[in-house]
Amino acid sequence: MPGGYAGKFLDVDLSKEKVEDTTFDDETLEAYFGGRGLAAKILWDRIGKRWRKIDGLDPENIFLALTGPMTAIYPGARIMCSGKSPLSNGTVGSTASTEFASEIKMAGYDGVIVTGKAEKPVYILVTDEGGEIRDASHLWGKVGEETIKLLNREVTEELAKRKPNVGLWKEPGIIYIGPAGENMVRNAAVMSKICHACGYGGYGAVMGSKNLKAVVAKGRGKIPAVDAPESVKLLLKKTHEHLIGRTTMRRWGTGYAGYAVGADTSSEPIRNWQEEWHDEKSMGGPRFENRFWVKKKWADFGCTTNCMKISCIKTGRWKGDITDMPDYELEAYCGTNLGIFDPGDNVHMSAVIDNLGHSGINGPNTMGFAAELYQRGILTEKDFGFKPAWGDAEAMTKLAWLIAERRKIGRVLGEGTYRAALKIAKKKGMKPEELLKYAVHVKGIEIGAHGTRSDADYTHDISYAASVQGGDHTSVAVDGFTEMSAAVFTDSAVFCNFCFFGVPQELVFDFAKAITGFPITQESWRRVTGPRIVTLQRALLLLGGPDVTWKPVGDDDNPHRFYEPLPTGPYKGSKTDRALVKQKRKTYFETLGWDEKGVPTKETLKRLGLSDVDPLMRKLRK
Amino acid sequence: MSKPIWIARDYAACSGCKRCEIACSLHHEGWMWPEASRVRVFMPFPGCEVPHLCAQCNDYPCVDSCPVQALSTDADTKAVIVDREKCISCGKCIKACPGQVPILHPGDDKAIICDLCGGDPECVKVCKEAGYNALMLVEEGPSVHRRLFSRNPIEVAKDLAVLFFGEKGEEVI
Amino acid sequence: MSKPIWIARDYAACSGCKRCEIACSMHHEGWIWPEASRVRIFMPFPGCEVPHLCAQCNDYPCVNSCPVGALSTSADTKAVIVDREKCTGCGACIRACPGSVPFLHPGDDKATICDLCNGDPECAKVCKEAGYNALMLVEEGPSVHRRLFSRNPIEVAKDLAVLFFGEKGEEVI
């Protein structure tokens, strides 16, 4: 077994109520690493041939929660959730920081692979004794805070009963869904620790479709052994020195640093992206810190970046709300995108979204979409049962619940922005394009709070358009090379990006090599491993699903709104350059060895060890 | 020769990063083994993190409770020392401890208790390096108030919950 | 040559000791003169201490407001620099500042604004030494969000009051 891996995965079939251990050979682990890469491989192997026929919410879909060999050893332990995305019909490697990742490795597992559907709500428990399926009927319907409290108590009591004399049992690591996931809101998140989310891809809905409320892990074993332990100990020291030196990030997190990027560069969504600039000086990290940040140094397993802060509203109508900061994305999406400019209301919306298990980005993207339709009279008060007016936090709270519970127009909105646009168009007898004008997504995945119109942020022309993960701002298409040793790598090694930025890449890849013993370099990830993973993801994405299949090139594009000129701000008039998109997309495909339609060529597939994918690609090349 | 020391704790300052667990187990076990760490960080609700470790109560109830005299105290640091040869894993020291701090080692079931690293605790170093100072080295011998730091970690967390979240805090744990 | 810097502030961490006022006036005035310090600690209610000083707003409204061109910016540090010869003590810069940070010197009535000690601020040193880190040196040029740090200090203190005291905090200032 290469270093860093616990050595086995839990294979669960919820329909058959079967739980088994499984392994993968060293070649597969070296070729796909873990996390996002390994998930794509497992999905291809097990359901790739039937891909197009399977909807993301079918029992046949597979839900994966995987770590990677670097998880819980390199600072910033994360879990990666994946499966066939109910939104894009491709795959996303969606990660969240959580002790679930360190605990599952301590229990002797690198991850869980779940297929089928349970008859009644269940949760999976993974301990030193193995995996088991347990009843979760008493947890179904519970919001995040209650879920954590109940599972912490229940599992600690149970483990103390099973092994009573060993001393106090600590709480387990938990990933769970809220009402949004339970009701299969297509872009629902998998949550952990109140405010951490595997937000992109809609894997909360996949768990909900399997009646799977949570996966819980508690182990007492060692963190898996590594190939070169003395090197790892030394590299650990050096890495922490770099992370501790990142003063601003540690001090204020992305609510400040990210705000300086998105808001300063006029790329922050306002009222469903109708604008991307505001002169409101009420928003931004410093406004939250003094009133709401009750804990300013909060971190996850092994991390010294501690960008996280905990907020609590102490007074007024939202008294008692608990959430994190908010970070930049939720400052934007649970704030300005909903027309909300009051910090307290912003903190409140973040708490509501987290508790319901909505994705903090994708959920309010759909909410903003709905609010714009109301603004334009396409939807009326009758559709909602209230007026979803911009800036009205009470109304937006109701809207979040309406979608999570799939009531009234929430039923359709719970399909995600793209599908809701198509369905509403049909319902209102309008042409799809008329509604899609307001849908800010790429390949069904709603876009993160970094626009491309000002071109001053880190996101540009093809960042989302050419990305295999659609609107996912954490993993954008750059040049088919650089990003392979960044997000594709961290999503597969599985550790937090904010423990990656600010550390010299050479150190990170030495670390990877010292852990696994694999001959890993930044170069090998850029030339081979990264492209292998992304090419496989591209193939799956193009295969599509029963309801939606994307047009190569045609759908490798930005939403309509990103071609509308910015109406206000220092970049007024600026918009995404279509010619540049066309040109860079072409280069991107070429760099990755895909044809002019972006279909991986036979030669490329062969070079990357993906020849078995070729037969299904042949049809797409015509 | 080491002086009497103890590891003072600022619970509210604990970030929950668990580097103390990593550092402690690296030192005592040779590799990362959080559940074999002598300091264990409990988190019954996010934000309410409690590092749980021996506080060297001045009356050492654990030492008195051991039926085979496997526990003693270090003359220099005043830490509790476990003789692993003698220990029979009966768990009496865990029950005697006001905070149930000791645990049975996940590998060989022997009682493990913080030994203050012979006078230079590893956990304190990493906590200080990261700027949290939730675990702080203090040069001071045991006294009666140490028992106040030997509380059930869930009770401490409940206090933190109210401190941070007000009335809401009474509901979350 | 100094790089662009600013003094970031962690208001909740301010102990209210006013060593920054002492250090600043020692440096600029040669003796302890708190009301001539470029950083001033406001405490409208005990516990709610707010260090108030220039945040170098990227549009420098003070510089633009001066009718005699007495204000400029340092090419290196980006600090606001007052030419005391030219200053007429009109107070326009105080009114232009979103947080009313500048003040007229208690001695000669000239506008007084933090000049970042030419790149090595004294206040940040003493605050760090004491372990508060309420004033922190950050290497970064001005950007749009700096105005968020240029708020009326009583408003900041009101936020702190709620943070610390909950609903009671709304009554104390």
Side-chain angles (χ1 to χ4, degrees):
Chain A
M1 180 55 53
Y5 297 95
K8 55 186 196 289
F9 295 76
L10 195 72
D11 229 329
V12 182
D13 187 327
L14 290 175
S15 303
K16 300 191 179 135
E17 292 180 52
K18 231 165 49 135
V19 175
E20 265 173 8
D21 289 352
T22 193
T23 56
F24 299 96
D25 58 39
D26 290 6
E27 289 73 44
T28 307
L29 294 177
E30 185 169 355
Y32 294 93
F33 215 42
R36 171 174 167 176
L38 188 59
K41 173 66 173 159
I42 294 170
L43 287 162
W44 165 252
D45 282 349
R46 294 192 183 190
I47 56 174
K49 308 290 191 313
R50 289 181 38 77
W51 193 262
R52 184 166 288 195
K53 297 196 178 68
I54 301 171
D55 183 86
L57 303 176
D58 286 347
E60 207 179 338
N61 191 8
I62 302 173
F63 170 73
L64 304 103
L66 306 181
T67 63
M70 297 179 76
T71 307
I73 300 169
Y74 188 92
R78 282 207 165 199
I79 192 67
M80 188 275 345
C81 288
S82 194
K84 180 167 184 177
S85 165
L87 294 171
S88 71
N89 283 320
T91 83
V92 175
S94 189
T95 69
S97 298
T98 171
E99 275 76 3
F100 173 79
S102 47
E103 290 291 346
I104 199 161
K105 287 183 93 160
M106 285 156 57
Y109 289 91
D110 291 298
V112 300
I113 303 164
V114 187
T115 192
K117 174 182 178 163
E119 253 179 52
K120 291 204 283 265
V122 295
Y123 71 92
I124 295 170
L125 176 62
V126 187
T127 66
D128 298 320
E129 272 69 59
E132 56 194 278
I133 302 169
R134 292 171 62 83
D135 177 43
S137 324
H138 55 297
L139 301 170
W140 203 255
K142 299 272 187 257
V143 295
E145 286 166 6
E146 293 169 65
T147 307
I148 290 173
K149 174 177 165 180
L150 291 171
L151 276 171
N152 276 346
R153 278 191 193 171
E154 173 176 324
V155 174
T156 317
E157 269 169 36
E158 175 64 25
L159 295 178
K161 224 187 297 169
R162 294 181 190 184
K163 242 188 160 162
N165 298 317
V166 295
L168 290 178
W169 277 85
K170 285 168 64 183
E171 77 288 342
I174 309 172
I175 55 174
Y176 59 89
I177 57 175
E182 291 174 3
N183 294 318
M184 294 187 277
V185 171
R186 244 175 225 266
N187 51 24
V190 180
M191 305 296 298
S192 191
K193 296 177 80 169
I194 299 291
C195 53
H196 290 312
C198 296
Y200 282 114
Y203 296 113
V206 175
M207 279 180 74
S209 72
K210 297 182 178 307
N211 273 331
L212 181 61
K213 176 69 177 176
V215 188
V216 183
K218 183 74 197 91
R220 296 174 79 229
K222 297 186 197 187
I223 297 291
V226 295
D227 188 65
E230 295 313 308
S231 298
V232 167
K233 289 177 198 173
L234 203 62
L235 289 163
L236 197 55
K237 242 174 172 271
K238 290 196 183 150
T239 310
H240 279 300
E241 274 165 28
H242 284 284
L243 296 177
I244 292 170
R246 299 189 70 208
T247 328
T248 313
M249 189 58 170
R250 300 188 84 213
R251 183 75 181 64
W252 287 295
T254 64
Y256 174 108
Y259 183 81
V261 170
D264 276 14
T265 60
S266 181
S267 318
E268 183 177 18
I270 294 160
R271 290 178 281 266
N272 198 39
W273 297 90
Q274 290 179 78
E275 291 170 81
E276 291 182 32
W277 175 261
H278 63 92
D279 275 319
E280 277 290 331
K281 295 300 179 265
S282 61
M283 296 296 272
R287 282 293 269 118
F288 296 91
E289 176 176 13
N290 309 313
R291 201 160 176 102
F292 304 115
W293 290 5
V294 293
K295 185 145 194 175
K296 301 211 282 202
K297 291 175 182 174
W298 197 52
D300 304 283
F301 189 83
C303 166
T304 43
T305 305
N306 69 244
C307 62
M308 300 298 291
K309 285 88 186 63
I310 300 212
S311 283
C312 179
I313 302 181
K314 301 284 192 68
T315 61
R317 59 184 175 162
W318 311 132
K319 179 168 133 181
D321 278 356
I322 300 169
T323 184
D324 65 319
M325 307 108 98
D327 70 322
Y328 166 69
E329 288 291 324
L330 268 66
E331 236 179 66
Y333 261 109
C334 292
T336 58
N337 193 55
L338 302 177
I340 287 171
F341 291 90
D342 177 85
D345 286 347
N346 189 187
V347 172
H348 162 70
M349 287 311 305
S350 172
V352 169
I353 293 292
D354 281 345
N355 240 348
L356 289 173
H358 275 299
S359 156
I361 292 168
N362 307 80
N365 175 294
T366 310
M367 288 164 62
F369 169 73
E372 183 172 358
L373 296 192
Y374 171 74
Q375 172 198 318
R376 296 184 184 277
I378 297 169
L379 292 176
T380 66
E381 187 179 347
K382 195 151 172 280
D383 291 304
F384 297 88
F386 54 89
K387 299 191 178 99
W390 297 116
D392 184 343
E394 263 184 57
M396 290 301 171
T397 305
K398 287 196 189 126
L399 183 54
W401 277 92
L402 199 77
I403 299 174
E405 294 179 330
R406 309 301 292 267
R407 285 181 288 110
K408 291 186 165 279
I409 196 71
R411 199 171 166 68
V412 158
L413 293 172
E415 288 294 296
T417 305
Y418 173 67
R419 288 169 176 77
L422 296 179
K423 287 189 152 70
I424 293 171
K426 200 165 177 188
K427 199 167 155 192
K428 303 277 174 179
M430 296 165 76
K431 293 204 209 100
E433 310 85 72
E434 289 181 73
L435 269 291
L436 286 173
K437 267 209 310 243
Y438 310 116
V440 181
H441 76 102
V442 172
K443 309 245 185 28
I445 295 177
E446 294 88 356
I447 299 181
H450 292 275
T452 59
R453 291 185 274 184
S454 73
D455 207 36
D457 201 341
Y458 74 92
T459 43
H460 309 286
D461 28 67
I462 58 161
S463 299
Y464 303 116
S467 169
V468 293
Q469 301 195 163
D472 180 346
H473 75 284
T474 69
S475 180
V476 296
V478 181
D479 50 18
F481 192 65
T482 322
E483 67 267 39
M484 302 300 171
S485 62
V488 183
F489 170 71
T490 57
D491 288 346
S492 304
V494 202
F495 59 87
C496 181
N497 272 328
F498 294 118
C499 287
F500 176 75
F501 304 139
V503 180
Q505 284 219 349
E506 206 182 298
L507 196 155
V508 178
F509 286 92
D510 280 348
F511 212 132
K513 196 167 37 212
I515 289 176
T516 58
F518 296 148
I520 298 172
T521 59
Q522 182 194 77
E523 189 81 354
S524 69
W525 264 81
R526 286 181 169 186
R527 290 204 180 285
V528 184
T529 322
R532 172 183 298 127
I533 294 166
V534 171
T535 299
L536 181 52
Q537 284 186 283
R538 175 73 178 174
L540 294 171
L541 181 66
L542 292 176
L543 288 176
D547 71 334
V548 162
T549 306
W550 308 107
K551 289 189 302 296
V553 176
D555 285 323
D556 292 315
D557 203 352
N558 293 295
H560 186 278
R561 180 129 294 161
F562 281 12
Y563 293 112
E564 296 166 23
L566 285 173
T568 56
Y571 294 91
K572 181 174 170 175
S574 190
K575 58 187 175 169
T576 314
D577 184 336
R578 274 193 203 277
L580 209 52
V581 171
K582 191 170 176 187
Q583 176 211 316
K584 290 181 77 177
R585 180 176 54 214
K586 182 168 185 287
T587 312
Y588 190 77
F589 289 170
E590 275 166 18
T591 307
L592 283 168
W594 302 347
D595 68 19
E596 65 286 348
K597 286 167 78 177
V599 181
T601 64
K602 184 176 179 162
E603 296 71 38
T604 299
L605 291 170
K606 181 157 186 244
R607 177 170 60 85
L608 298 172
L610 295 169
S611 292
D612 57 340
V613 179
D614 188 59
L616 287 177
M617 294 294 100
R618 273 189 229 133
K619 294 186 205 157
L620 297 172
R621 290 184 197 123
K622 296 196 193 350
Chain B
M1 179 151 139
S2 224
K3 284 198 263 196
I5 57 164
W6 74 292
I7 298 168
R9 45 221 75 178
D10 182 352
Y11 295 115
C14 175
S15 72
C17 77
K18 300 180 175 73
R19 282 182 80 214
C20 50
E21 293 184 353
I22 294 168
C24 177
S25 51
L26 275 173
H27 179 80
H28 285 94
E29 307 291 334
W31 186 237
M32 298 175 186
W33 197 346
E35 281 293 7
S37 168
R38 283 69 170 144
V39 52
R40 301 164 73 222
V41 182
F42 285 72
M43 185 189 74
F45 192 80
C48 309
E49 287 83 13
V50 179
H52 194 53
L53 69 159
C54 180
Q56 297 83 37
C57 305
N58 66 330
D59 57 343
Y60 295 97
C62 55
V63 175
D64 289 343
S65 74
C66 181
V68 298
Q69 286 88 50
L71 268 50
S72 60
T73 58
D74 182 287
D76 300 327
T77 62
K78 303 298 182 211
V80 176
I81 306 298
V82 179
D83 184 337
R84 306 186 102 225
E85 305 285 307
K86 288 187 179 165
C87 175
I88 56 170
S89 311
C90 67
K92 288 215 162 73
C93 56
I94 304 174
K95 293 195 207 33
C97 172
Q100 292 188 273
V101 174
I103 54 167
L104 297 190
H105 193 284
D108 66 11
D109 268 336
K110 305 288 182 176
I112 45 176
I113 299 172
C114 169
D115 62 359
L116 293 172
C117 288
D120 190 23
E122 295 297 322
C123 57
V124 170
K125 291 181 204 169
V126 293
C127 197
K128 177 177 184 163
E129 182 193 22
Y132 308 135
N133 295 306
L135 299 173
M136 266 186 340
L137 186 57
V138 178
E139 271 178 25
E140 202 180 77
S143 71
V144 78
H145 75 258
R146 292 292 187 79
R147 277 174 164 267
L148 293 170
F149 287 92
S150 210
R151 285 175 70 204
N152 182 293
I154 308 303
E155 293 307 312
V156 178
K158 283 179 177 172
D159 282 349
L160 291 176
V162 171
L163 176 66
F164 294 143
F165 309 134
E167 278 168 344
K168 175 66 174 284
E170 288 176 331
E171 300 166 21
V172 299
I173 296 177
Chain C
M1 179 149 138
S2 225
K3 283 197 266 197
I5 57 162
W6 73 292
I7 297 167
R9 46 224 71 178
D10 181 350
Y11 297 114
C14 177
S15 68
C17 75
K18 301 180 178 71
R19 281 181 82 215
C20 51
E21 293 184 350
I22 296 167
C24 176
S25 50
M26 276 285 211
H27 178 81
H28 283 95
E29 307 293 336
W31 187 236
I32 303 170
W33 195 348
E35 280 293 358
S37 165
R38 283 69 169 142
V39 51
R40 303 164 70 216
I41 305 298
F42 284 74
M43 186 189 77
F45 191 81
C48 309
E49 289 83 12
V50 180
H52 195 52
L53 67 160
C54 180
Q56 297 84 36
C57 303
N58 65 331
D59 56 346
Y60 295 97
C62 54
V63 173
N64 293 333
S65 75
C66 181
V68 298
L71 267 51
S72 61
T73 59
S74 155
D76 301 327
T77 63
K78 304 296 180 213
V80 176
I81 308 298
V82 181
D83 184 337
R84 307 186 104 232
E85 306 288 305
K86 287 187 179 165
C87 175
T88 62
C90 72
C93 56
I94 304 173
R95 287 185 289 281
C97 173
S100 305
V101 174
F103 58 92
L104 298 188
H105 194 280
D108 64 11
D109 270 334
K110 303 289 182 174
T112 313
I113 300 173
C114 167
D115 64 358
L116 292 172
C117 289
N118 211 31
D120 191 22
E122 295 298 322
C123 57
K125 288 183 207 168
V126 293
C127 199
K128 178 178 184 165
E129 183 191 25
Y132 308 134
N133 295 305
L135 299 173
M136 262 187 345
L137 185 57
V138 179
E139 270 179 26
E140 205 179 79
S143 70
V144 77
H145 70 259
R146 290 291 186 79
R147 278 171 164 266
L148 294 168
F149 287 94
S150 211
R151 285 175 69 204
N152 182 293
I154 308 304
E155 293 306 311
V156 179
K158 282 178 177 173
D159 281 349
L160 291 176
V162 169
L163 179 67
F164 294 146
F165 310 134
E167 278 170 341
K168 176 61 173 290
E170 286 177 328
E171 301 166 17
V172 301
I173 297 179

